[in-house]
Amino acid sequence: MAAAPDSTREENVYMAKLAEQAERYEEMVEFMEKVAKTVDVEELTVEERNLLSVAYKNVIGARRASWRIISSIEQKEESRGNEDHVAIIKDYRGKIETELSKICDGILSLLESNLIPSAASPESKVFYLKMKGDYHRYLAEFKTGAERKEAAESTLLAYKSAQDIALADLAPTHPIRLGLALNFLCSIMKSLTHQIVLVISRSRYPSLLYDIKAFDEAISELDTLGEESYKDSTLIMQLLRDNLTLWTSDITDDAGDEIKETSKQQSGDGQQ
């Protein structure tokens, strides 16, 4: 049940909070979309911004989880040669992908038309550009061909724009800046970003250096934080450190493989 058309901004925010408590996230999205479309009068507060993010995160999160489960089942059925089941699963996966596309297109349109143009503070700009990168990344997870390449490019561009502002205007320990570094790293690590790696011509290492820098700078300024910010920042830093550990391990493995391959080639050349 949506709020009346003439509901005030405050009423829509309150209804969004009720919907969140009731775990009715589709309705929470509807209420917060109405709030977001009033930014020509006043940009979203931090609370409103977070409510919008939570609403979409839960709606998209459920579908992403469904897509991963169905895709895993599809692979198993393919390996067993159950073509009839595979055909059924593909149709069902297509339904989930349609829902994913609709959700992503909805928030991306809102970001482009309302939220990013109205953002006044560096914090808001980074928040919305990061969000833009996130939802293009979600599209790239299931799109194929040219659509996947386009989504991957858009992911990189949005994160890079957010990164430029964050480095210039946000403290190293700022949760939004750290969250951006974490998501930027995840976008490179996950399998969908094979396309992103192609787009940036194998230049994944500069992104890694940005993430390491973000972590190191944040460590040096932890003592300046208040208790609440300290909790938020240290949680994100833990996730960032864990992902950096995985990523640098992969790089070490890749380098080892390249050395082995080079040695084999040189050995082969010597025998000819």
Side-chain angles (χ1 to χ4, degrees):
M1 182 183 77
D6 58 349
S7 296
T8 67
R9 178 162 168 166
E10 292 76 14
E11 288 171 340
N12 280 315
V13 169
Y14 182 70
M15 290 301 298
K17 291 177 181 178
L18 285 180
E20 180 183 16
Q21 292 298 312
E23 297 184 2
R24 295 171 67 86
Y25 297 109
E26 281 79 5
E27 291 176 2
M28 188 182 179
V29 163
E30 292 176 14
F31 294 127
M32 289 313 301
E33 281 181 342
K34 292 180 180 180
V35 175
K37 289 175 181 177
T38 67
V39 293
D40 55 329
V41 178
E42 180 185 1
E43 86 168 299
L44 298 189
T45 64
V46 173
E47 180 187 41
E48 290 167 346
R49 199 174 64 199
N50 289 337
L51 285 169
L52 177 71
S53 178
V54 167
Y56 268 102
K57 191 173 292 185
N58 278 279
V59 168
I60 198 73
R63 271 75 174 187
R64 290 175 71 210
S66 297
W67 185 87
R68 286 192 292 266
I69 292 168
I70 294 301
S71 296
S72 176
I73 295 172
E74 181 181 355
Q75 290 176 359
K76 290 176 182 177
E77 293 290 3
E78 282 182 338
S79 67
R80 295 167 182 161
N82 296 333
E83 296 302 324
D84 291 342
H85 287 177
V86 170
I88 294 170
I89 293 169
K90 282 184 177 178
D91 286 342
Y92 194 51
R93 175 168 55 80
K95 177 184 177 182
I96 297 171
E97 290 176 357
T98 299
E99 292 178 5
L100 283 164
S101 292
K102 183 178 178 181
I103 294 165
C104 290
D105 290 344
I107 184 59
L108 289 171
S109 175
L110 201 60
L111 287 163
E112 288 287 356
S113 302
N114 301 89
L115 298 172
I116 294 174
S118 71
S121 68
E123 180 179 304
S124 295
K125 291 175 183 177
V126 174
F127 185 94
Y128 294 134
L129 286 167
K130 170 185 168 294
M131 202 171 183
K132 180 180 176 180
D134 290 343
Y135 284 86
H136 278 299
R137 175 160 60 91
Y138 301 152
L139 285 172
E141 287 179 342
F142 65 90
K143 294 292 187 181
T144 58
E147 287 185 316
R148 183 173 183 173
K149 184 175 183 290
E150 181 182 356
E153 289 174 341
S154 297
T155 299
L156 182 68
L157 288 172
Y159 282 154
K160 183 64 171 63
S161 297
Q163 175 188 324
D164 290 343
I165 299 171
L167 290 174
D169 298 311
L170 297 185
T173 52
H174 197 295
I176 294 176
R177 177 169 166 177
L178 288 171
L180 170 64
L182 176 62
N183 285 20
F184 206 163
L185 182 60
C186 287
S187 76
I188 302 298
M189 288 177 64
K190 290 189 177 179
S191 59
L192 71 96
T193 54
H194 172 66
Q195 293 295 329
I196 292 178
V197 173
L198 292 179
V199 167
I200 59 179
S201 303
R202 299 181 180 273
S203 60
R204 57 183 180 175
Y205 299 105
S207 174
L208 175 62
L209 292 174
Y210 161 63
D211 293 310
I212 293 173
K213 181 181 179 183
F215 184 81
D216 289 342
E217 289 181 348
I219 283 287
S220 68
E221 295 196 15
L222 275 180
D223 291 341
T224 66
L225 297 179
E227 182 178 353
E228 198 59 39
S229 295
Y230 184 90
K231 290 179 181 177
D232 292 340
S233 296
T234 51
L235 175 60
I236 298 172
M237 287 172 65
Q238 179 64 51
L239 294 170
L240 182 56
R241 186 179 67 176
D242 291 346
N243 281 278
L244 280 170
T245 300
L246 287 171
W247 188 229
T248 51
S249 175
D250 289 343
I251 289 174
T252 303
D253 291 344
D254 291 345
D257 291 341
E258 290 173 6
I259 292 171
K260 290 177 183 176
E261 186 63 32
T262 301
S263 298
K264 288 180 180 178
Q265 291 174 352
Q266 292 174 342
S267 176
D269 292 341
Q271 292 174 356
Q272 289 176 353

